[in-house]
Amino acid sequence: MSVEVVVQYAAGPPTALPSKKTITLWVKAALAGRREEAQITVRIVDEEEGSELNQRWRKRAGPTNVLSFSSTGLERIAPALLGDIVICAPVVEREAQHQRKALRAHWAHMVIHGTLHLLGLDHIEEQQALIMEQLETEILGRLGYADPYSP
């Protein structure tokens, strides 16, 4: 499998965030058996940029944990390009604390969740959500993380 992950930090690479190597591992786990080649940019942002992107693209106020921007339609000119994932670090940290989850496990979940969105999975309808959640749980389990949806 050939996966190129470009990790961008909005305000320089903070030490508390997952490394590029770790993020790449999580992306590859989500792609395994689904995609042989992929180019993905993972951008880690602060709340200000997260809010701006969420408002602009989803018409929702405030930051969200993860946004995925698919490159659908560019397959002919860039077949490996899957798209971009934007993760808002402060939101991920707050969610992990609030949900009493290990921060690293929650980061893994957000990266995998965003990658699955780039592959075309969604959770708008209940049946879609069940399929996506089961897949996320399986991938995270293979990586040694607990079910992110169990209380």
Side-chain angles (χ1 to χ4, degrees):
M1 173 186 298
S2 170
V3 176
E4 178 185 346
V5 176
V6 177
V7 178
Q8 299 176 340
Y9 299 97
T15 56
L17 299 177
S19 68
K20 177 181 176 177
K21 182 178 178 180
T22 301
I23 291 170
T24 301
L25 173 82
W26 295 333
V27 168
K28 284 184 175 185
L31 296 174
R34 293 169 191 82
R35 186 81 183 234
E36 286 301 314
E37 285 190 75
Q39 292 176 336
I40 295 174
T41 296
V42 178
R43 181 165 170 81
I44 299 171
V45 300
D46 59 18
E47 287 188 77
E48 183 180 344
E49 186 173 349
S51 294
E52 289 171 11
L53 290 168
N54 201 26
Q55 179 63 48
R56 181 175 183 182
W57 297 104
R58 296 178 67 221
K59 307 297 184 230
R60 294 187 182 170
T64 188
N65 52 18
V66 61
L67 293 167
S68 296
F69 298 95
S70 174
S71 63
T72 302
L74 300 176
E75 296 85 0
R76 279 190 49 226
I77 60 172
L81 185 62
L82 263 185
D84 299 338
I85 299 169
V86 176
I87 301 176
C88 185
V91 172
V92 172
E93 189 172 323
R94 274 197 309 273
E95 287 176 346
Q97 289 173 350
H98 178 74
Q99 298 168 16
R100 300 177 195 263
K101 295 178 179 176
L103 182 57
R104 187 174 179 88
H106 196 48
W107 268 103
H109 183 204
M110 293 301 96
V111 171
I112 290 166
H113 185 88
T115 303
L116 292 178
H117 272 306
L118 294 181
L119 290 170
L121 281 86
D122 213 333
H123 48 82
I124 296 171
E125 296 176 12
E126 185 177 347
Q127 188 60 31
Q128 292 175 325
L130 291 172
I131 292 167
M132 190 167 179
E133 289 172 11
Q134 180 181 357
L135 191 52
E136 289 169 335
T137 300
E138 289 171 9
I139 295 166
L140 287 162
R142 284 195 299 271
L143 292 168
Y145 298 112
D147 178 349
Y149 297 102
S150 67

